[in-house]
Amino acid sequence: IARPIAETYEAVADPVHLSRYFTTGGAQGRLEPGADVTWDFADFPGRFPVTVIEAEKPRRITIEWDAQNVAGSTGTTRTTFAFESLDDDTRTLVTITEASWLATPDGAKSAFGNCEGWTGMLIAMKAWLEHGINLRDGFYR
């Protein structure tokens, strides 16, 4: 993304920014440990509670949220956003990883469904930060 690392990090951590390009129903709460955070999507109605595991500004944010078809006893999937400054901080590499899916057909379906969502988030974030265009505006309503 052709923006400095601090600005790119804030696009994920700040609910006002996140609501402009990703959480089509709105985000509440800043992504920092101990915060009461929810995300809402018009295409998946209902607020989703998000638990912030780690927030190391401007390098990393790790969250968990409830999911089906996951391994372990927590019933959650863990997602990490990693931010890396490139080209004298004129660009930022954003890497999203998600873990905890079962190695089953249903687990794979859930994992790939979320992968599509995170890919859409990255595309929408790039368009928003670089050009002020909300690709998801009206898309799911």
Side-chain angles (χ1 to χ4, degrees):
I1 295 177
R3 287 290 183 264
I5 190 171
E7 185 178 339
T8 306
Y9 179 95
E10 284 302 313
V12 177
D14 184 330
V16 173
H17 290 295
L18 195 64
S19 296
R20 290 183 178 146
Y21 69 88
F22 181 56
T23 53
T24 52
Q28 295 186 359
R30 183 175 173 77
L31 294 181
E32 54 190 28
D36 183 19
V37 177
T38 58
W39 289 357
D40 194 357
F41 300 90
D43 48 326
F44 293 98
R47 292 212 164 271
F48 293 90
V50 176
T51 302
V52 183
I53 303 301
E54 171 189 36
E56 180 191 328
K57 187 177 182 176
R59 302 269 177 226
R60 176 180 318 279
I61 299 170
T62 302
I63 61 172
E64 285 185 349
W65 57 1
D66 291 341
Q68 296 179 346
N69 306 309
V70 293
S73 60
T74 64
T76 61
T77 181
R78 182 172 282 202
T79 304
T80 299
F81 303 87
F83 305 88
E84 181 183 345
S85 177
L86 303 173
D87 301 329
D88 294 322
D89 202 29
T90 60
R91 298 185 314 130
T92 303
L93 174 63
V94 181
T95 304
I96 301 174
T97 56
E98 191 169 41
S100 302
W101 298 107
L102 288 172
T104 63
D106 286 341
K109 182 177 179 182
S110 295
F112 287 118
N114 275 22
C115 184
E116 288 175 15
W118 296 128
T119 300
M121 177 193 184
L122 288 171
I123 294 165
M125 182 168 47
K126 182 172 179 62
W128 175 254
L129 287 177
E130 292 182 8
H131 306 287
I133 299 169
N134 182 350
L135 294 177
R136 296 169 68 94
D137 186 31
F139 194 79
Y140 296 103
R141 297 177 193 235

